[in-house]
Amino acid sequence: MMEHRPCPSPADVERAYWSAGAGAPVAERDRGILAHVEECDRCTAAWRDIARLAELGRRIEPARPWERREELRTTLLSSLDQARTDRAAVRSPIVGRRWWWAAPLAAAAAAAAAAMWLAWPAPPAPGASHALGAPPAADSSHAPPPSVARRAMVLEHPGARALAVSDQPDEVVRLVEGSLTISVPALAATEQFRVITSDGELVASGAAFDVTAREDRLAAVRVLQGQVKILAAGATTTVQRGETWRSSTQLTVLAPPRAATAPAAPAPAGSTTAPPPGTGSAHASTLPTRELPFDLPPAPTPPPASPPTSPTPTGAAAPPPAPVEPADSAAALPPPPPRSMAQQALDDGWTALRAGDFARAAAAFERAVAVTGDPHLVEDATFWRGIALARAGEVGTAAHVLTAFLTAYPRSPRGGEARVVLGWLLFERGDRADAKVQFEAALQDTAPRVRGGARAGLAAIANAR
Amino acid sequence: MRRGVVPLHRVQGTPMEMSDEALVAACVVGETAALGALYDRHADGVRRFLARLSGTDDRDLDDLVQATFETVVRAARGFDGRSSVRTWLLGIANNTARHHVRGELRRKRLAMTVTAEAAASPPAGDPSGDVIDREQVGRLHDAVLALPPKLREAFVLVYLEGLSGAEAARALAAREGAIWKRLHEARAKLRALLEGARP
């Protein structure tokens, strides 16, 4: 063949070869090279050399099949959990030889933090100001030491839909559909393992069991070892080894909760005892929405005749107002949509927060995060979970949650508040540099109260030096 | 897919339903389930790439895969979506292998040993074409392992993994033009190595 034009550079031939094989339209410059290659023996030989190498090369595979694939996966995920725990441990404020002056520093920090939490950011109590008591200073300094994470082993059965939501000290698996076999090691008092469905949850430690959900409802639990506590359908049941628990509501899982079946016992959060028609909106109407420093998720329009029959917080030991719903009023008014599990969980969280039950509040907000599909609601619930954990003295977890909140929602209107609280948490842990960063960022907030809190934090850091 | 991920919002879809990009985003907030899903999808490809690139034995290969996915968690925040997640992962794996001194030394030893063996015992007219093919593939792999790192990386990414020049450039943080040049140089060296290894 004759060469009608000068040969392209070898690099151009490479580019043209891979460009032609990529499936995308060939560039104009490469089209010219392709035309040249067809006419040029030397370039054709180079082209064939590339093709041969590519063909041979694709057959290079690892020498042996991968036997340790799953083992490596487990090791990888476990090591990440361990690393996270180790990082938390390293950041402990009382370290090494500086312990003698770290103790008074921690006490001062605890006092400062308690003072801040006293006024920060308190969801107003219905009908009473400052019903949300601040924890005593000692509470906030009693953060449990970081524990070594011991994760449950979870085996997903075919078709199961589940997701690990969080790790220890409160490891949560959100189960939507199907079956899991779970082995939970014996946990410390500060740790727990839970499986959550939309209508209930189970708590286990030192146990092995099968758990099944249908249509996002807890359907069955078979305990193989140890015991499992189930909170569902308004009751707490402990299932022992060899026993199987089945939900009696399975046949009616798709039916809306009926008022008449609501039990008189306290309804644990996440149970199937969702408020009867009318209760959700009535409950919402009892919330002082104007005073709350957050926006309630859009509540169903309350029926005009639906009285706030029960100012009792959800989960209190009072009988639910459902039975008082007369048949004629139900006929006269269209029933409002039932309150969602997420909204219910939020309500539970705020109620518990007002009552000073911070651990329960944190659990309720976490549940709201796990079950909702509304990003705004997730944002609210995450923020309040961080606050509740902080007030519960769970310094490490609270800092983790608030950090995650700020990462996920950098433009949140609650960012300033979160930064100030996080700043105090970090300060308490002795991480003054990071605390300073948070306080300084909070100085940019538009709310004077937030800026004041940030200034107080910076002053505390300066005084501690 | 589907939807973008909202960090901390972990209920809409299981990890296996999420896009690669959504899984990386979930890794940013420490979602180990997302990392597990990424591993399930890409671990085999990453391992094959590392085997082609470094030629290490099984144990070192496992170390490299683990180190790669551990780095994913730290690097997830920097993922900007300009390349596919696979390309991004291969870039991380490449860096991991590059800095894996033990693996590198082992690779050199292995390459020298195997090349010497190949030169010492050429296929003696084996009637099976399959065996001959395997010999050729083995010799090519040995030659690839003997390439200088920059040439080897470009060659493995484009020739063996099928990345485009632009993708390989992103994975290696190089200009696309440099990739084509490296490929040409790699091919020339391979030809020399393969011809040199022949009896």
Side-chain angles (χ1 to χ4, degrees):
Chain A
M1 282 184 218
M2 293 290 294
E3 290 186 22
H4 300 292
R5 52 188 125 180
C7 288
S9 74
D12 285 343
V13 175
E14 292 278 352
R15 189 193 63 235
Y17 175 88
W18 292 104
S19 163
V26 179
E28 186 61 37
R29 59 177 180 175
D30 291 336
R31 240 179 261 152
I33 295 173
L34 291 176
H36 171 86
V37 167
E38 288 179 1
E39 301 168 354
C40 171
D41 290 342
R42 201 177 74 175
C43 292
T44 300
W47 191 274
R48 286 184 180 151
D49 193 37
I50 296 171
R52 181 174 150 272
L53 272 181
E55 167 61 24
L56 267 183
R58 275 193 286 270
R59 295 192 223 163
I60 298 175
E61 292 285 343
R64 279 184 290 183
W66 198 0
E67 293 167 354
R68 293 182 61 227
R69 189 181 195 281
E70 291 310 306
E71 181 188 338
L72 193 63
R73 183 185 195 277
T74 304
T75 305
L76 172 72
L77 299 185
S78 302
S79 70
L80 289 177
D81 286 338
Q82 185 64 53
R84 200 154 47 198
T85 307
D86 290 348
R87 277 199 298 274
V90 165
R91 293 162 74 89
S92 175
I94 299 177
V95 289
R97 59 184 185 273
R98 295 192 170 189
W99 61 270
W100 56 83
W101 63 272
L105 176 63
M116 283 305 298
W117 288 343
L118 186 62
W120 204 291
S129 59
H130 296 293
L132 177 61
D139 283 353
S140 56
S141 62
H142 285 173
S147 59
V148 176
R150 285 168 293 179
R151 299 201 70 201
M153 291 178 63
V154 180
L155 173 67
E156 290 187 25
H157 294 210
R161 296 182 68 216
L163 193 60
V165 175
S166 61
D167 300 320
Q168 290 296 351
D170 185 11
E171 186 176 358
V172 173
V173 171
R174 176 73 172 87
L175 175 60
V176 179
E177 185 69 38
S179 297
L180 306 175
T181 296
I182 299 176
S183 174
V184 186
L187 302 174
T190 54
E191 299 172 326
Q192 63 175 343
F193 174 85
R194 295 184 289 152
V195 177
I196 294 180
T197 63
S198 73
D199 67 333
E201 69 179 66
L202 65 79
V203 183
S205 174
F209 55 92
D210 293 339
V211 54
T212 301
R214 297 275 178 259
E215 302 283 349
D216 205 6
R217 305 287 180 119
L218 194 58
V221 178
R222 183 169 68 123
V223 179
L224 311 169
Q225 190 177 26
Q227 64 178 33
V228 172
K229 190 186 290 182
I230 299 171
L231 301 94
T236 301
T237 309
T238 300
V239 186
Q240 304 288 346
R241 176 183 178 181
E243 294 178 345
T244 297
W245 175 93
R246 291 182 197 284
S247 166
S248 57
T249 62
Q250 274 306 293
L251 295 177
T252 57
V253 288
L254 296 179
R258 284 175 296 182
T261 60
S271 74
T272 52
T273 56
T279 309
S281 57
H283 180 68
S285 67
T286 64
L287 288 171
T289 52
R290 212 173 298 164
E291 297 177 36
L292 290 171
F294 45 78
D295 300 324
L296 274 175
T301 307
S306 178
T309 50
S310 173
T312 310
T314 305
V324 304
E325 184 182 45
D328 55 351
S329 71
L333 298 167
R339 207 150 170 75
S340 73
M341 292 308 300
Q343 290 166 331
Q344 189 65 45
L346 270 181
D347 290 351
D348 288 350
W350 289 323
T351 302
L353 206 55
R354 292 185 193 108
D357 191 346
F358 304 124
R360 184 162 171 264
F365 291 130
E366 184 186 12
R367 195 166 53 253
V369 171
V371 301
T372 187
D374 180 344
H376 299 295
L377 207 144
V378 172
E379 183 180 336
D380 265 350
T382 307
F383 171 78
W384 286 109
R385 182 182 173 224
I387 299 302
L389 285 167
R391 286 171 177 262
E394 300 279 352
V395 176
T397 313
H400 176 73
V401 170
L402 289 172
T403 303
F405 169 81
L406 289 166
T407 304
Y409 307 104
R411 296 171 191 273
S412 170
R414 299 192 198 294
E417 293 173 284
R419 286 188 188 284
V420 171
V421 177
L422 178 59
W424 283 110
L425 292 171
L426 295 169
F427 179 76
E428 187 181 355
R429 285 175 15 171
D431 196 344
R432 275 186 251 161
D434 285 350
K436 189 179 177 191
V437 169
Q438 298 300 336
F439 287 135
E440 286 176 344
L443 285 176
Q444 310 302 319
D445 198 277
T446 54
R449 192 178 64 149
V450 174
R451 293 198 300 273
R455 280 195 291 273
L458 289 170
I461 291 175
N463 291 337
R465 284 180 177 152
Chain B
M1 170 114 218
R2 310 156 328 209
R3 287 173 296 234
V5 72
V6 179
L8 291 180
H9 175 209
R10 302 175 170 104
V11 253
Q12 284 191 344
T14 65
M16 294 317 290
E17 293 171 340
M18 291 173 158
S19 68
D20 283 353
E21 290 75 13
L23 290 175
V24 173
C27 285
V28 173
V29 293
E31 182 56 79
T32 48
L35 181 68
L38 269 182
Y39 180 92
D40 292 341
R41 287 183 197 176
H42 294 286
D44 290 336
V46 166
R47 180 173 180 265
R48 187 187 59 198
F49 167 70
L50 287 166
R52 288 169 164 176
L53 183 72
S54 60
T56 54
D57 63 16
D58 283 357
R59 184 154 294 280
D60 276 352
L61 213 48
D62 286 348
D63 289 347
L64 287 173
V65 173
Q66 182 173 347
T68 298
F69 280 92
E70 284 173 351
T71 307
V72 162
V73 177
R74 294 193 296 273
R77 194 178 295 277
F79 176 69
D80 55 11
R82 284 189 298 167
S83 65
S84 72
V85 170
R86 176 172 175 254
T87 300
W88 178 70
L89 280 172
L90 294 185
I92 292 174
N94 183 67
N95 286 334
T96 305
R98 193 185 288 170
H99 296 113
H100 199 268
V101 176
R102 188 178 58 155
E104 185 72 4
L105 291 174
R106 194 180 289 270
R107 177 193 70 75
K108 283 179 181 169
R109 281 202 305 272
L110 183 72
M112 287 170 64
T113 306
V114 179
T115 306
E117 285 173 358
S121 54
D126 193 302
S128 163
D130 187 42
V131 172
I132 292 173
D133 269 5
R134 280 208 301 271
E135 294 278 355
Q136 286 178 333
V137 171
R139 279 208 301 274
L140 173 62
H141 194 196
D142 296 340
V144 170
L145 296 178
L147 285 173
K150 284 190 174 181
L151 305 188
R152 186 173 71 245
E153 292 161 4
F155 183 85
V156 171
L157 282 174
V158 176
Y159 270 72
L160 311 190
E161 295 297 329
L163 263 58
S164 70
E167 287 174 324
R170 275 194 286 269
L172 298 177
R175 286 182 302 106
E176 190 178 341
I179 297 296
W180 302 125
K181 196 174 170 198
R182 287 180 199 177
L183 287 178
H184 162 62
E185 290 176 19
R187 192 158 53 84
K189 279 192 183 294
L190 284 175
R191 197 185 306 116
L193 284 167
L194 289 170
E195 285 171 0
R198 259 180 220 154

